[in-house]
Amino acid sequence: SAVISQKPSRDICQRGTSLTIQCQVDSQVTMMFWYRQQPGQSLTLIATANQGSEATYESGFVIDKFPISRPNLTFSTLTVSNMSPEDSSIYLCSVDSSGGYEQYFGPGTRLTVT
Amino acid sequence: AQKVTQAQTEISVVEKEDVTLDCVYETRDTTYYLFWYKQPPSGELVFLIRRNSFDEQNEISGRYSWNFQKSTSSFNFTITASQVVDSAVYFCALSDTYSPLITQGGSEKLVFGKGTKLTVNP
């Protein structure tokens, strides 16, 4: 299985600021996904990041608010811009295993916006 | 559109009881994949199983078993002889096979149910 790390693990941020979350994988993967889990809720896909192309955003999520970078096959970043308390969530990245038969998640970044 | 329904919001059992978590899905795709994940209090998502739509065989892994029935669009998860360490939120998920990379072993984006919080009491 892939080993995924995320930084930071948690953060408390002021309204109006931005936070960049890093996702590092121990092996090369084709696709990386960013999910949001609001308090007590399920996971919702924000966007899909494919190396070498623009991220594909899901309905309700826009690039200006959640810019994503995917500079290589083992790394991606998600920025939460101009934060408001409604952005307080756990943000998780996930990757496919080799062959795509399993999908693994990072430990998540717990974001609190005050 | 894909949809996953986990009607049980919370379940509480006593240790050693068997418990079944229900999952009902909706999709127009003929090829799709179903998943179960465990999210313990630590917050990390733990992959449990992936099943494709062509394989209706039930699966057993230790105390865990899964019952996939296409006729009722259900993919239920049973824990036998539950333990306190099984306490977690369990998510059922369905793949959206939009990606052209699927046939090359690429990954799928997942649509999650709302989760079932299982509490196993000693």
Side-chain angles (χ1 to χ4, degrees), chain A residues 30-31 33 35 37 41-43 45 48 50 58 90 92 95-97 99-107 110, chain B residues 35 37 39-45 47 50 91 98-99 101-102 104-115:
Chain A
T30 306
M31 298 172 78
F33 302 86
Y35 288 83
Q37 186 178 23
Q41 302 297 313
S42 187
L43 286 82
L45 181 66
T48 303
N50 206 1
E58 296 300 302
I90 300 174
L92 302 101
V95 304
D96 60 329
S97 66
Y101 293 108
E102 297 171 356
Q103 193 168 116
Y104 299 100
F105 284 79
R110 293 177 182 268
Chain B
F35 300 75
Y37 286 87
Q39 188 175 44
S42 60
E44 190 161 349
L45 272 172
F47 170 87
R50 175 191 193 266
F91 290 99
Y98 80 104
S99 171
L101 295 176
I102 291 300
Q104 302 170 32
S107 195
E108 319 93 348
K109 68 174 185 177
L110 300 179
V111 174
F112 283 82
K114 293 185 180 296

Side-chain angles (χ1 to χ4, degrees), chain B residues 55 61 95:
Chain B
D55 183 2
S61 176
S95 71

Side-chain angles (χ1 to χ4, degrees), chain B residues 56-75:
Chain B
E56 287 193 72
Q57 284 190 341
N58 292 332
E59 176 127 357
I60 298 175
S61 176
R63 296 185 297 107
Y64 295 169
S65 62
W66 290 269
N67 185 332
F68 176 32
Q69 292 194 348
K70 287 180 74 172
S71 60
T72 56
S73 297
S74 65
F75 186 45

